[in-house]
Amino acid sequence: MESDIRASRYYQDGQVCNTSSPGKDLNAVKWWGWGLESKTYPLDDKPQFWPYLLKTLKLAKLSKCSRMTFEEVRLPPCRIDDRTLARVKRTVGAGISTGKHDRLTHSLGKSYLDLLNLRQGLIRNPPDAVAYPKDEQEVAKLLSFARANRISIVPFAGGSSVVGGVEPAKARGTKGAITVDLRRMKNVLHVDAVSLTATVEAGIPGPELENELNKRGFTLGHFPQSFQFSVLGGWIASRSAGQVSTKYGKIEDMVESLTLVSPNGKLDTKAVPASASGPQLKQVLIGSEGTMGVITKAKLRIHHVPAVSRYEGLMFKSFRNGINAIRETMQSGSVPAMMRLSDPDETMVSLMLSSQSATTKLGLWMLERLGYAPSRRCVMILGSEGDPTIVKAERQVAVGACKRNGAFAIGKGVGATWLNERFELPYLRDVLLDHCILVDTLETATTWDKLEALHGAMKRSIEEAIAEMGVAGLAFAHVSHAYPDGASIYYTIVAPQVAGKEVRQWLTMKKAATDCIMQNGGTLSHHHGIGKDHAPWIKQELGENGLALLRAIKRQLDPEGVMNPGKLLGSN
Ligand SMILES: Cc1cc2nc3c(=O)[nH]c(=O)nc-3n(C[C@H](O)[C@H](O)[C@H](O)COP(=O)(O)OP(=O)(O)OC[C@H]3O[C@@H](n4cnc5c(N)ncnc54)[C@H](O)[C@@H]3O)c2cc1C
């Protein structure tokens, strides 16, 4: 498939925010789930999906779980008094709202736990107010006001955090919390077509940024699955990875420099390609998750829109074969856009979620006869993008490594389907939740020597933890975001909810999975970040000295501890 990114459907539904009436336009977006109110995940053309899931989860029938309506949800009263709010308004001049819609839509992110709470109307810590500053000066004034008056500040971008990153915490000694939403700060300030950089305000949503760059013939190359509803500042603050990060890098590789406004003043890092002037400060601020200040703008490394973009499928006889193919490709010096390898269970789930034509069925029958057993076979999507000459060479290297490891080419159709549906799958989560099914995702990264063992240990520990509570669960995974020395591995977990104990069930599973990552040489997070959910493990990840160092940096920038308390660094 030769497709042009400019003509793609990547961002057709991405109009999330506008500048004219802060807060109001989010009505089109689900406050209780993922994406647009008007959209769901279609299953009518996939009749094999529900029977497969019922059998796998050992369920006799589907249940139905209801959710609260907007009108039924009750929010705790605002803790910041009217006089203080009036002073915020006078001092900051920013749009500020204490309306129910604004407070509710900024109260939680999009993790499984967040969605459980939203659907049941359990909103324990909504912000007391939501501020919509129009520029850096307003952010600075707001932060000094917050520091002087001990009000916590929660920076908010798209709110797609899956680690509890945007839920205001009850911080000791603070009067309340104001969430700062940068949606009015979304200008592309400058594009340098010589150095290939773009200076952009941090509140720009993914689709708008990409559209603006595409108009000028450029792309950032950052497409997380949450792309349509996430925002530049959030990507930078949580070290996000796009689906083609193998080629373009993670967001931290894309930031040439940034501006951070902290309660203790502004910090601009120098816009140079590289520097030996001590440790890189920008790398300390990238991933700071709103705990050190508000990132207001960044200078980003951009690319020419790729002339060629080709996605195709390959089938392997085993997960090990697929892993070896990725490793060999990455260690050859060639850099494909993507090598996304599903394990046998994810391969099966993908099949169950495809509309199986007669040709597909025939193909699967043939593969089985050739030794690609359903219980072991693994599908890979190989993506190549860029200049035609380079794509040709890189594709040759990758396909060569795959073939050496026994892969069977299953064609461009699989690649085209993946590209077309790459942002659709999150809509399935709401459908599953409607049927009382736990669905969560988590990820890590490790080196090649540990990857296969980590994969096996994770699957076992997650499924055993779920079984402990008397239900059958399934954990399936894919390897993506590859490097010469290792790769990220991403899990999806499904299980029937244990009625009345949904939170305990999730906590049991999450603890087992995270302990397993830590014991098997994985990182606490490759791209979702730490938030509040991973914070209990941060000392184990960074070591005592490492954590103390980060906390000392935070104290310099945020002496009163008002910035996003409880996230990343735990309680400090
Ligand atoms: C369906 C789904 C798919 C996902 N797929 C991916 C994926 O493919 N790759 C990936 O990396 N992640 C993914 N995520 C996780 C999430 O989208 C990312 O963490 C993303 O980077 C968060 O962006 P956001 O704009 O929604 O930020 P938010 O959720 O609003 O914020 C994230 C964190 O950054 C802080 N923050 C936000 N803006 C600023 C700022 N301007 N200055 C300082 N701090 C700030 C917040 O306080 C919070 O701690 C997915 C999530 C969902 C729900």
Side-chain angles (χ1 to χ4, degrees):
M1 184 198 60
E2 307 282 328
S3 79
D4 184 333
I5 277 191
R6 276 170 297 199
S8 77
R9 315 187 306 115
Y10 290 165
Y11 20 85
Q12 62 180 9
D13 291 330
Q15 292 298 322
V16 187
C17 311
N18 73 31
T19 50
S20 52
S21 58
K24 292 272 164 49
D25 51 335
L26 275 179
N27 283 327
V29 175
K30 288 176 198 159
W31 59 269
W32 51 270
W34 181 251
L36 299 176
E37 284 278 3
S38 54
K39 267 184 90 162
T40 183
Y41 190 86
L43 283 167
D44 292 350
D45 58 341
K46 292 137 194 154
Q48 63 282 6
F49 177 70
W50 285 122
Y52 162 79
L53 199 69
L54 287 174
K55 190 168 163 220
T56 307
L57 302 185
K58 298 188 173 49
L59 282 171
K61 63 177 175 57
L62 280 176
S63 309
K64 193 90 190 108
C65 276
S66 58
R67 60 182 153 78
M68 274 201 179
T69 61
F70 178 79
E71 290 68 31
E72 285 167 337
V73 176
R74 295 269 168 273
L75 296 183
C78 198
R79 293 163 300 175
I80 304 177
D81 60 78
D82 289 347
R83 267 188 56 205
T84 309
L85 279 176
R87 278 176 62 212
V88 177
K89 239 180 226 171
R90 273 199 308 276
T91 317
V92 182
I96 189 149
S97 167
T98 51
K100 178 178 173 183
H101 189 269
D102 290 286
R103 291 181 69 209
L104 177 59
T105 52
H106 290 85
S107 59
L108 290 159
K110 299 293 180 193
S111 70
Y112 170 69
L113 205 54
D114 293 338
L115 298 188
L116 263 187
N117 286 326
L118 283 166
R119 292 168 71 98
Q120 293 173 18
L122 295 174
I123 317 295
R124 295 184 184 88
N125 304 308
D128 297 289
V130 183
Y132 300 93
K134 69 172 185 320
D135 56 30
E136 221 161 80
Q137 288 71 34
E138 287 194 353
V139 175
K141 284 190 210 162
L142 183 60
L143 264 49
S144 343
F145 185 89
R147 180 182 174 184
N149 292 277
R150 297 197 62 85
I151 294 171
S152 6
I153 292 289
V154 182
F156 190 100
S160 70
S161 167
V162 283
V163 291
V166 291
E167 181 182 0
K170 282 201 185 88
R172 244 181 304 134
T174 53
K175 282 191 192 131
I178 296 180
T179 285
V180 182
D181 183 326
L182 296 193
R183 70 180 54 189
R184 293 166 77 198
M185 296 172 57
K186 57 170 192 169
N187 293 308
V188 174
L189 301 171
H190 181 64
V191 174
D192 177 347
V194 176
S195 310
L196 287 196
T197 57
T199 308
V200 188
E201 287 184 310
I204 193 164
E208 290 184 41
L209 171 57
E210 197 57 25
N211 270 337
E212 283 303 315
L213 294 176
N214 287 181
K215 274 193 234 161
R216 298 160 167 94
F218 302 115
T219 177
L220 179 61
H222 189 71
F223 303 102
Q225 197 186 39
S226 55
F227 174 72
Q228 293 172 316
F229 302 97
S230 56
V231 170
L232 177 63
W235 296 343
I236 299 175
S238 51
R239 290 192 164 250
S240 160
Q243 289 162 333
V244 281
S245 77
T246 298
K247 180 175 183 67
Y248 299 102
K250 288 181 76 209
I251 197 75
E252 61 263 34
D253 306 309
M254 300 175 180
V255 176
E256 186 183 88
S257 65
L258 58 76
T259 300
L260 177 104
V261 173
S262 80
N264 210 11
K266 195 168 112 172
L267 206 152
D268 282 301
T269 68
K270 199 161 196 171
V272 285
S275 164
S277 311
Q280 282 216 331
L281 287 181
K282 83 171 172 197
Q283 289 300 348
V284 176
L285 306 176
I286 300 174
S288 56
E289 300 189 9
T291 62
M292 300 188 188
V294 176
I295 296 161
T296 50
K297 63 176 182 291
K299 195 166 190 180
L300 304 167
R301 300 179 169 121
I302 56 175
H303 309 266
H304 294 288
V305 167
V308 175
S309 161
R310 185 186 169 114
Y311 284 77
E312 60 202 298
L314 293 128
M315 191 68 85
F316 290 85
K317 284 184 179 161
S318 73
F319 199 44
R320 177 174 297 167
N321 288 352
I323 289 176
N324 285 339
I326 305 177
R327 182 176 52 76
E328 286 172 25
T329 305
M330 294 310 296
Q331 292 175 348
S332 74
S334 173
V335 190
M338 187 181 83
M339 290 179 98
R340 186 185 195 277
L341 175 74
S342 297
D343 73 1
D345 283 314
E346 189 174 281
T347 301
M348 184 59 85
V349 172
S350 308
L351 263 177
M352 295 300 137
L353 285 172
S354 66
S355 352
Q356 289 183 17
S357 62
T359 327
T360 310
K361 284 184 183 147
L362 181 66
L364 289 170
W365 176 82
M366 205 189 78
L367 278 171
E368 208 172 324
R369 311 260 317 171
L370 290 170
Y372 295 80
S375 59
R376 299 189 72 227
R377 69 186 170 208
C378 295
V379 71
M380 175 192 284
I381 308 292
L382 167 65
S384 322
E385 285 190 0
D387 173 89
T389 320
I390 296 171
V391 166
K392 193 171 167 202
E394 284 182 343
R395 192 182 158 265
Q396 236 167 20
V397 173
V399 171
C402 291
K403 293 257 165 88
R404 272 199 308 283
N405 284 284
F408 190 94
I410 53 174
K412 298 175 196 168
V414 182
T417 306
W418 180 82
L419 253 191
N420 283 337
E421 297 180 2
R422 61 197 280 196
F423 302 129
E424 302 301 308
L425 212 54
Y427 283 94
L428 178 59
R429 205 159 56 136
D430 295 327
V431 180
L432 293 174
L433 283 165
D434 283 343
H435 291 293
C436 321
I437 290 169
L438 174 159
V439 49
D440 196 17
T441 59
L442 49 91
E443 44 70 41
T444 181
T446 194
T447 45
W448 291 118
D449 59 322
K450 300 192 184 84
L451 191 73
E452 220 186 322
L454 174 65
H455 171 254
M458 287 282 285
K459 187 170 168 60
R460 270 192 307 281
S461 72
I462 293 171
E463 291 179 357
E464 280 169 17
I466 290 170
E468 261 173 41
M469 292 192 67
V471 291
L474 178 69
F476 53 89
H478 61 255
V479 172
S480 50
H481 314 292
Y483 307 89
D485 51 343
S488 154
I489 185 155
Y490 180 100
Y491 278 84
T492 303
I493 298 109
V494 283
Q497 286 179 343
V498 179
K501 294 182 184 157
E502 293 87 351
V503 174
R504 214 179 96 200
Q505 179 188 24
W506 178 81
L507 284 171
T508 307
M509 183 281 293
K510 184 74 181 172
K511 180 169 175 358
T514 314
D515 285 345
C516 181
I517 288 174
M518 301 311 285
Q519 284 154 17
N520 286 278
T523 175
L524 189 46
S525 173
H526 171 263
H527 58 266
H528 284 167
I530 305 303
K532 87 171 158 37
D533 294 353
H534 292 150
W537 287 269
I538 193 68
K539 195 193 248 182
Q540 217 176 321
E541 174 83 1
L542 302 178
E544 202 159 331
N545 248 340
L547 181 57
L549 184 62
L550 272 195
R551 284 181 174 167
I553 295 172
K554 176 179 165 71
R555 268 196 303 280
Q556 169 61 30
L557 294 169
D558 176 26
E560 318 300 332
V562 296
M563 293 305 306
N564 214 1
K567 316 297 159 29
L568 176 63
L569 307 168
S571 44
N572 45 329

